[in-house]
Amino acid sequence: MPATPHALLVALVGALTLSGSPTRTKAPVAVSSRAARATHHVGNAGRVTRIDGREVWPAGATIELDGPIDVAAGGTLVIEAGTRVEGRVGAYIVVSRDGTIEARGTLNEPIQLTCTATAKYPGCWGGVIVQGYARINSGTPTSPASPTRSPAGDCLEIADPISGTPRYGGCNDADDSGILRYMRIEYAERGLHLAGVGSGTEVHDVQANRTRADGVLITGGAVDVRNLFLTANGTGLRWTGGWRGRAQSIAVQQDILRFAAGIVGQNGTTTSATAADALPRSEPTLFNITLIAQSVPANPTHATARALVLERGTAGSIRNLFFYAPHIALDLSGLSTCAQLTSGTLTLRNVLTAGATSLGEGLIPGACNTTEAALLASATDNNIVLPGANGLLVSENDLFLPDLRPITGSALALAPAATPPAGGFFAGGVFVGAVPPIITAGTIPWFSGWTNPAPPPAPIPDGVIRGVVRSPFRGLLAGVRVTDETTGATTLTTSNGSYVLSLPAGTALLDVSQVPSGCPVPPTRAGAVQPNDTTILDLTVDCAPLPGTERVSAGDGFTCGIADQGTFCWGENTFGQLGNGTTSASLLPAEVTTSFSSLSAGARHVCGREPNGIVRCWGDGAQGQLGDGAGVNRLSPAPGPGGPYQLVTSGGAHSCALAIDGAAFCWGANGDGQLGNGTTATALSPVAVGGGRIFATLAAGRNHTCALDLSGAAWCWGDNTQGQLGDGSSTDRTLPVAVLGNERFGALAGGGDAHTCATGATGVVRCWGANAAGQLGNGSTTSSTTPVIVQTTFALSQVSLGDNHSCGITSESVSVCWGLNGDGQIGDGFTAQRLTPTAANASARFNKLTGGLGFTCAVTFGAVTGEDNVIVFSRRSLLCWGRNSSGQFGRGSTTSALTPTAAATGLTFP
């Protein structure tokens, strides 16, 4: 059955790292009388409010959440009995793994968490997320440790995909995140998410009522839960990611008009075969469950509405389970799940199924030794199937006045029951179902008094969410797919980058896919959909600049960049390549006299493109590489190549540009045919590249040039002594020749001394040419005259070449480099050459990078939420690593660095 999107966690918790500078709360003033309920506003709309001390939400008060709440490291949130918490759209509570929550409701004074809307609907606020240091089975083995909460070890953790900040997971299965008791969570997107929570956390007597997704989601960890009353949720209970805790007395009562499943058990957090067998495996022990999951055709998910789903390799022990009139009782799927059933690590015993429309749809042939129907009727497991369900419960399926007690003397009351393990967590429970039978008059169910009924809410009109998808460097993006994870609604952006979706009121979880090459898929974005209203949510895709349109570019001993403050260069300046009117080197950024929209640095010269497409160059011009017809050096940008051009790219002592119509022009040194005009004569002004082809992009190497045509096929010309043209020979070419292999590429990398790389649509990179230092990344030092695949599991969204090294940015925004490393230009902290991509030793994530002679620089990736919850990009910093002997880092020194270090002092980048 369709799974509730795991990306909801990304959308909600990810906002903590996308929301700019957090604010901190001031504790509400305690009220003296519970009869006079006081209202306190906490948080700020669209911004995360941090709690990093002890904060008390007092009994008898109403706390209105105007925005997200983060109980941060060292923080403790105390919610006293009888407190009412109301969240606005976009508000939620996250307890970080170094924070603590103490929600101490009582039977007579439960804690209430709902939304502020007068007409409430599922998803009108976010819900509660608790994170801990217990073990999980997905993430990265970054050995998290806490001085008080978790030991160091080779354990997995989930980290934010942008900032790398840890969220949950660790090595302490006994971790204590606090107390949650006698608490009801209503009308949330997801009720309660326990993520990597340990067994030291106390969770009991919790109701999740009318949530849009899961009532309770448990991801990994070893937390124990008791007395969960899960009413009319999208899915009642879901576990995944390696949960190994215990549960007793779980009552799930679904709305026949709206639900997807009653309980879903999973091991893997994704559908991959590897995730299905990830360790530690989900293997909870559950006793005493009542599962009411009737469905009617009016339910949008009727065809797949199942009571119990066991999938993705979960194990577990389930005892004393009662199915009341389910549409489909059991769905057990997946080869790994069947393997758990066959081996005995997944068992269902003492199960009574009454009045099922279907017991199941049959297991995967050959994977299991039984069927779902046979399993539910297995006498050896004390499982019983009854044709009808009448006369078993006091009030049957009543969402207004639920009473799930078995009638005395009924088949349910007399069903054979397993005895829970003695001592410790389990208590009593020698009966089938979540509630003991009526024995004496006056007894009441454990959920009576502190929970709410779940009557169907009034119909809520749909809302509209619309906006545009754009890239800061490529503008509005057409043909991009925008999908709401919750409903599956999808659309393509129009020619002007706009999209429109009509969605149910609540939280939309928007995924962006089918993005152009060189554009990493952004994280899921959450947007509030208001009933009968329109929400504007613009989506930003952080595409790398196209080759030749870079805003930071490295040359031989110097760097230039377009910052928020203007255009600057720094480092070596013998030939005026800093563009500031002098020939004096500068260890700090020096402002260029003209502003540009893109830059490309050659060996000792730079060309810049103005917003109107006009190209100007400066620096070494002795071989005509400035294109101004003079063949002299220029200390500042000079009129020359003209334009308008789409992009400009600079090589060792030549430059090329792409005209608006796709025709290519080059100028400068041409001894190896790098101008592509059929000659080896130097050109002081632009000459047309021969062959009459139309190109989509250009990239210049030291003494060669390559291009992609409109089909994505690669063409190269110029110096070919190391096979850098990729045509299978080592013969120089004065006209474009096709790169062998019939590959189609989406992006091209230049800048290399004698090698070239290009990126395919799936992030696979192929390189060709010189390889003495491993710069082709294929695990060898053998040069290649045809493209070879870079050996990496990373999908690379951008590649840039230094002299004898190569670098790329992964889909996780990590910098990886390979090749020569004598100056530390790989960034891994060592100087040994790397024959395959190796990650830079940095916690930062990067958006774009540039390779120079013995060094690398990259701009950090960052984003914040601005007004109206629209993501805007924060001002970013430049980090550099490798050789700094000429001050090419721009930090006021000539000290080199083996790992990324702050550069371009005083500058920030858009």
Side-chain angles (χ1 to χ4, degrees):
M1 66 155 276
T4 302
H6 178 68
L8 178 60
L9 178 69
V10 175
L12 294 183
V13 184
L16 292 177
T17 58
L18 298 177
S19 55
S21 301
T23 58
R24 289 175 168 78
T25 66
K26 296 180 179 179
V29 178
V31 294
S32 58
S33 171
R34 296 189 182 184
R37 181 176 290 274
T39 300
H40 303 278
H41 289 264
V42 178
N44 295 273
R47 298 179 64 83
V48 174
T49 297
R50 291 168 55 93
I51 296 175
D52 48 19
R54 183 176 178 85
E55 170 142 342
V56 178
W57 292 352
T62 294
I63 307 296
E64 286 196 8
L65 306 182
D66 294 328
I69 303 298
D70 173 22
V71 184
T76 298
L77 173 60
V78 178
I79 309 178
E80 294 185 340
T83 303
R84 180 180 178 87
V85 180
E86 297 182 354
R88 296 185 181 278
V89 173
Y92 50 88
I93 300 170
V94 175
V95 182
S96 75
R97 65 179 184 176
D98 286 301
T100 303
I101 185 170
E102 298 178 9
R104 302 174 180 273
T106 66
L107 175 65
N108 294 322
E109 292 185 297
I111 294 167
Q112 310 166 65
L113 297 102
T114 185
C115 69
T116 57
T118 302
K120 302 186 189 310
Y121 54 89
C124 61
W125 75 296
V128 179
I129 303 167
V130 181
Q131 302 167 329
Y133 274 103
R135 290 182 300 153
I136 58 177
N137 68 17
S138 65
T140 55
T142 44
S143 303
S146 164
T148 58
R149 295 278 291 271
S150 180
D154 188 16
C155 302
L156 299 175
E157 67 175 355
I158 296 292
D160 182 81
I162 296 176
S163 70
T165 303
R167 289 183 182 160
Y168 62 89
C171 297
N172 182 10
D173 280 346
D175 187 33
D176 183 359
S177 296
I179 297 172
L180 301 169
R181 66 187 183 201
Y182 288 106
M183 179 174 72
R184 61 175 185 255
I185 306 170
E186 300 181 312
Y187 300 102
E189 183 65 42
R190 169 173 286 147
L192 175 63
H193 185 182
L194 302 171
V197 173
S199 60
T201 309
E202 180 183 330
V203 181
H204 66 83
D205 295 282
V206 173
Q207 180 186 16
N209 187 21
R210 290 282 175 192
T211 65
R212 187 156 80 152
D214 306 313
V216 172
L217 169 64
I218 305 177
T219 302
V223 64
D224 298 328
V225 296
R226 177 186 286 113
N227 292 2
L228 301 185
F229 194 49
L230 310 176
T231 50
N233 303 294
T235 296
L237 169 68
R238 182 187 302 271
W239 71 76
T240 188
W243 179 43
R244 288 147 289 112
R246 300 169 292 183
Q248 187 175 26
S249 300
I250 311 297
V252 178
Q253 186 178 18
Q254 295 291 44
D255 185 345
I256 63 174
L257 294 174
R258 179 197 167 273
F259 80 95
I263 295 177
V264 176
Q266 303 167 333
N267 180 55
T269 57
T270 69
T271 58
S272 72
T274 302
D277 286 317
L279 298 177
R281 186 180 299 277
S282 291
E283 194 171 1
T285 301
L286 298 91
F287 271 81
N288 303 105
I289 301 168
T290 293
L291 237 175
I292 299 175
Q294 293 173 286
S295 179
V296 295
N299 179 4
T301 60
H302 175 71
T304 57
R306 291 153 166 79
L308 176 62
V309 180
L310 300 172
E311 61 181 5
R312 300 187 187 177
T314 189
S317 174
I318 301 175
R319 302 288 185 272
N320 300 345
L321 167 63
F322 172 48
F323 287 110
Y324 178 89
H327 175 57
I328 299 173
L330 176 63
D331 178 17
L332 195 153
S333 64
L335 293 173
S336 183
T337 313
C338 285
Q340 308 312 309
L341 185 70
T342 302
S343 68
T345 56
L346 174 62
T347 57
L348 286 86
R349 294 175 183 156
N350 302 91
V351 178
L352 178 67
T353 306
T357 304
S358 170
L359 294 177
E361 297 180 331
L363 303 180
I364 299 173
C368 292
N369 56 10
T370 185
T371 65
E372 290 143 340
L375 182 63
L376 293 180
S378 170
T380 58
D381 291 318
N382 288 321
N383 296 341
I384 300 172
V385 175
L386 299 178
N390 293 332
L392 298 178
L393 298 177
V394 172
S395 68
E396 298 179 343
N397 192 8
D398 187 341
L399 289 170
F400 291 89
L401 294 172
D403 192 338
L404 308 183
R405 291 176 296 174
I407 295 174
T408 302
S410 66
L412 175 57
L414 300 176
T419 301
F425 170 77
F426 293 103
V430 190
F431 51 84
V432 174
V435 186
I438 298 174
I439 299 176
T440 59
T443 60
I444 61 172
W446 52 262
F447 54 78
S448 296
W450 62 274
T451 61
N452 263 349
I460 302 295
D462 286 352
V464 171
I465 190 164
R466 66 178 179 85
V468 297
V469 179
R470 63 161 56 93
S471 161
F473 302 108
R474 302 193 192 179
L476 300 173
L477 301 179
V480 173
R481 184 165 295 282
V482 180
T483 303
D484 175 47
E485 285 192 1
T486 305
T487 64
T490 186
T491 188
L492 292 174
T493 56
T494 64
S495 59
N496 64 359
S498 64
Y499 74 93
V500 178
L501 289 171
S502 179
L503 300 173
T507 302
L509 300 174
L510 299 187
D511 278 338
V512 174
S513 59
Q514 297 179 205
V515 295
S517 177
C519 302
V521 174
T524 299
R525 284 290 314 281
V529 180
Q530 301 285 7
N532 206 24
D533 198 1
T534 297
T535 299
I536 306 298
L537 182 62
D538 292 340
L539 306 173
T540 302
V541 181
D542 205 35
C543 303
L546 293 169
T549 64
E550 290 85 356
R551 296 174 69 89
V552 177
S553 188
D556 288 4
F558 73 101
T559 310
C560 292
I562 301 171
D564 293 308
Q565 297 85 353
T567 301
F568 292 81
C569 295
W570 52 92
E572 171 62 39
N573 194 30
T574 303
F575 299 90
Q577 55 263 55
L578 300 191
N580 66 339
T582 77
T583 57
S584 300
S586 178
L587 302 183
L588 292 171
E591 188 166 11
V592 179
T593 55
T594 305
S595 294
F596 296 94
S597 61
S598 66
L599 296 171
S600 183
R604 300 180 303 195
H605 77 288
V606 184
C607 289
R609 179 183 178 273
E610 296 178 349
N612 59 5
I614 299 300
V615 170
R616 299 176 185 270
C617 303
W618 63 95
D620 185 4
Q623 299 185 71
Q625 57 264 56
L626 305 187
D628 60 357
V632 298
N633 298 349
R634 301 289 187 182
L635 306 186
S636 59
Y645 293 109
Q646 296 184 50
L647 60 86
V648 63
T649 178
S650 297
H654 76 290
S655 305
C656 296
L658 190 66
I660 300 301
D661 61 2
F665 294 85
C666 297
W667 55 92
N670 195 28
D672 299 301
Q674 56 263 52
L675 302 190
N677 67 336
T679 77
T680 56
T682 296
L684 303 184
S685 300
V687 295
V689 173
R693 291 179 180 83
I694 298 301
F695 295 112
T697 189
L698 298 170
R702 178 74 61 172
N703 294 304
H704 73 288
T705 311
C706 291
L708 298 182
D709 65 21
L710 298 182
S711 74
W715 300 78
C716 295
W717 56 93
D719 183 14
N720 197 27
T721 53
Q722 299 290 321
Q724 57 263 52
L725 304 189
D727 67 341
S729 79
S730 57
T731 303
D732 293 354
R733 306 290 185 178
T734 61
L735 290 171
V737 292
V739 174
L740 296 184
N742 295 319
E743 298 294 338
R744 294 297 182 265
F745 301 105
L748 189 64
D753 181 20
H755 74 294
T756 310
C757 294
T759 306
T762 60
V764 174
V765 176
R766 287 174 167 81
C767 298
W768 54 94
N771 196 31
Q775 57 263 53
L776 301 190
N778 67 336
S780 79
T781 55
T782 303
S783 299
S784 178
T785 60
T786 59
V788 295
I789 295 177
V790 174
Q791 293 182 2
T792 178
T793 58
F794 301 115
L796 301 181
S797 62
Q798 183 192 353
V799 175
S800 182
L801 308 184
D803 214 47
N804 292 296
H805 75 290
S806 310
C807 292
I809 292 179
T810 73
S811 57
E812 298 294 324
S813 303
V814 174
S815 171
V816 294
C817 297
W818 58 97
L820 191 65
N821 194 28
D823 293 295
Q825 54 263 56
I826 303 298
D828 63 350
F830 302 94
T831 56
Q833 67 183 25
R834 302 299 182 182
L835 306 186
T836 56
T838 302
N841 185 7
S843 59
R845 295 297 183 263
F846 299 101
N847 162 253
K848 46 194 171 291
L849 51 74
T850 180
L853 179 60
F855 73 105
T856 309
C857 293
V859 178
T860 59
F861 183 110
V864 298
T865 302
E867 295 181 0
D868 300 322
N869 294 325
V870 175
I871 279 193
V872 295
F873 284 95
S874 67
R875 303 194 182 282
R876 311 168 196 208
S877 58
L878 186 72
L879 303 183
C880 294
W881 54 97
R883 186 185 306 172
N884 188 33
S885 55
S886 300
Q888 50 264 58
F889 289 7
R891 57 178 298 165
S893 76
T894 56
T895 303
S896 299
L898 301 182
T899 58
T901 186
T905 300
L907 299 185
T908 55
F909 294 83

